[in-house]
Amino acid sequence: MKISFSVNGERADLDVEPRRTLADALREDCGLTGTHLGCEHGVCGACTILVDGEPVRACLMFAVQADGASVSTVEGLQGTDGELHPVQEAFVACHGLQCGFCTPGMLMSACHLLDTRPDADRETIRAEMSGNICRCTGYQGIVAAVERARADMRDPAGPGEGPVHPWEVTFSEE
Amino acid sequence: MKCAPFDYVRAASVEETVKVLGEADGDGKILAGGQSLVPVLALRMARPAVLVDVNRIPGLSSIRRIDDTVEVGATVRHSRLAEQTEHPLLAEAARWIGHTAIRSRGTAGGSIAHADPSAELPVVAVATGATVTVTGPRGSRDVDAEELFVGALTTSIEEDEMITAIRFPQPDRWGFAEFARRHGDFALVTAVVTEVRGRPRITFGGVGSVPQRAAAAEQALADRRPAAEIAHIAAEEIEPTADLHGSVEFRRAIATEMTRRALAQFDSVREQSR
Ligand SMILES: Cc1cc2nc3c(=O)[nH]c(=O)nc-3n(C[C@H](O)[C@H](O)[C@H](O)COP(=O)(O)OP(=O)(O)OC[C@H]3O[C@@H](n4cnc5c(N)ncnc54)[C@H](O)[C@@H]3O)c2cc1C
Ligand code: FES
Ligand code: FES
């Protein structure tokens, strides 16, 4: 089937089999391999992207369903000048990744969270990010990174006021 | 694994959906949010010849109040259910479904049709006495939620029928409590206590193959027995099954506590409305 959608602001025209998932179309037809595939069952969150601004598991949507939609992937986070997005910066600063496999999905989930709830507290961040599975970090760095990005995005000019290292954070009992 | 090949039809209407399903003669499937269907296809547990995508059918994605009920169109997403203010119990239940990226695609019609014993919406449908509108080649019919669910992942909907809407009566009072291993996971036990059109209902999810009501506990609630007693009666009455996540005894213990919590919320709503 012939379809077209926009990816990170650029138009993509594809001819795909209906059974091709959006994740596979992005990776193999668009050459955007930033979107990772872990479980292909909607459980791990590695393939999370935004479709018309909403977070979506790219492994659970067929590319034909994205016809006419606006898709954002991790490749679109970086500015045209090559500068990292504040959420990417914060993941680097706070050790929000180790092997990096889960990172694209984590970044997209974090971006959507901070876009829709710029005042998200630590509990909300923990609950939201728990939809993405990471086998390396123990999540402490990830939660710290999202908190730091939250601060940086509120005050882009100011010095990063969030915690720099996960071990500088005091953890609430849970 | 990847899905087996299928033909894809983007339906423009309910009539078209029903027609394509009829022509497929049992070999077609509706594709709504895809949050349950696509994993099943990827595992090749199902390999339908045709998928009918209902996401772009106009008129199926609205939430409307009609008298004392709230009508939810089949393709209303869980994320919208969680945000709406017309039916607070429905909003609370929707917040417990999966994570944000699941709720943004999953639909009310898909969840009811999928009939997962641990899913939230089927429990709320039974707990409120909801009516499900189903359209097929023989016209439309209304089915009581309690009669719709016949077993785990099994409903009384025919292969060539489509759910178009669900009407959830608004309870006068309600309490909702769920226990899952992690917020967003399927429920081990969900307990919902409601008073609908003057009648108390106590309904459980996750403990059997379909949402279960506890009649003796409902009577105890009508008789204004103490909460601990009602919870005990309910947990004895239901028939949980054991699995990887917990034994029968464990589920009964959790059901007791979830009933107590739901009853406490139910009572606090009564106090507020006095
Ligand atoms: C990681 C993960 C976690 C989840 N956690 C939860 C959870 O905690 N609680 C919960 O309740 N659910 C959970 N779900 C499932 C989710 O809620 C699904 O959205 C829902 O069960 C199915 O809805 P859907 O719209 O995605 O339907 P689909 O997956 O598109 O379809 C499911 C089935 O229903 C049929 N169908 C769909 N729409 C109709 C219709 N209008 N009429 C007739 N038949 C129809 C399809 O043919 C298919 O057989 C989870 C899913 C995932 C992937
Ligand atoms: S690959 Fe899509 S959620 Fe795991
Ligand atoms: S950084 Fe390795 S899986 Fe998360």
Side-chain angles (χ1 to χ4, degrees), chain B residues 29-37 54-55 60-63 71-79 81 90 97 103 105-116 119 121-122 125 131-134 148-149 155 157 161-168:
Chain B
K29 277 251 170 230
I30 290 177
L31 171 63
Q35 303 300 293
S36 297
L37 181 61
V54 296
N55 284 286
L60 289 185
S61 60
S62 58
I63 300 175
E71 186 189 81
V72 176
T75 59
V76 170
R77 314 266 179 211
H78 304 323
S79 52
L81 280 184
L90 209 45
I97 303 175
R103 294 193 293 271
R105 292 292 301 166
T107 67
S111 182
I112 297 289
H114 190 59
D116 191 300
L121 295 187
T131 309
V132 181
T133 306
V134 176
L148 189 91
F149 302 112
T155 66
I157 306 168
E161 288 182 321
M162 169 177 186
I163 293 177
T164 53
I166 306 115
R167 282 198 305 283
F168 295 92

Side-chain angles (χ1 to χ4, degrees), chain B residues 203-218:
Chain B
T203 315
F204 293 93
V207 296
S209 57
V210 295
Q212 291 183 16
R213 280 181 65 187
E218 288 176 355

Side-chain angles (χ1 to χ4, degrees), chain B residues 188-234:
Chain B
L188 274 178
V189 176
T190 302
V192 186
V193 181
T194 53
E195 187 181 292
V196 181
R197 295 169 183 152
R199 305 280 306 264
R201 283 178 180 241
I202 300 181
T203 315
F204 293 93
V207 296
S209 57
V210 295
Q212 291 183 16
R213 280 181 65 187
E218 288 176 355
Q219 187 57 50
L221 176 58
D223 296 342
R224 293 169 178 272
R225 310 298 309 162
E229 198 178 313
I230 301 170
H232 181 72
I233 294 171

Side-chain angles (χ1 to χ4, degrees), chain A residues 19 24 40 55 64 128 130, chain B residues 2-3 10 56 100 104 182:
Chain A
R19 65 168 166 160
D24 284 338
E40 299 194 60
V64 289
E128 284 295 315
S130 76
Chain B
K2 307 290 177 188
C3 305
R10 185 181 296 144
R56 298 199 196 182
T100 306
S104 67
R182 167 184 70 154

Side-chain angles (χ1 to χ4, degrees), chain A residues 30-118:
Chain A
C30 303
L32 297 170
T33 52
T35 299
H36 287 176
L37 282 164
C39 65
E40 299 194 60
H41 285 114
V43 179
C44 75
C47 68
T48 307
I49 57 168
L50 304 184
V51 177
D52 294 329
E54 294 284 333
V56 161
R57 301 292 205 230
C59 68
L60 295 188
M61 191 168 166
F62 295 112
V64 289
Q65 297 187 280
D67 190 27
S70 163
V71 176
S72 311
T73 70
V74 69
E75 285 90 347
L77 290 184
Q78 205 174 333
T80 39
D81 50 4
E83 200 158 300
L84 292 183
H85 186 281
V87 176
Q88 290 175 308
E89 291 270 13
F91 266 68
V92 174
C94 300
H95 301 275
L97 70 154
Q98 282 183 36
C99 80
F101 188 81
C102 69
T103 311
M106 289 284 178
L107 291 172
M108 299 315 280
S109 294
C111 283
H112 177 262
L113 170 61
L114 293 178
D115 273 350
T116 49
R117 281 183 281 176

Side-chain angles (χ1 to χ4, degrees), chain B residues 44-115:
Chain B
R44 302 210 179 184
M45 277 155 55
R47 39 189 313 166
V50 188
L51 285 194
V52 194
D53 185 344
V54 296
N55 284 286
R56 298 199 196 182
I57 299 179
L60 289 185
S61 60
S62 58
I63 300 175
R64 295 190 298 162
R65 168 188 291 279
I66 304 172
D67 302 326
D68 68 340
T69 69
V70 171
E71 186 189 81
V72 176
T75 59
V76 170
R77 314 266 179 211
H78 304 323
S79 52
R80 267 196 57 217
L81 280 184
E83 283 159 12
Q84 52 81 33
T85 52
E86 291 284 341
H87 201 299
L89 167 56
L90 209 45
E92 174 65 17
R95 285 193 279 270
W96 285 83
I97 303 175
H99 289 94
T100 306
I102 305 297
R103 294 193 293 271
S104 67
R105 292 292 301 166
T107 67
S111 182
I112 297 289
H114 190 59

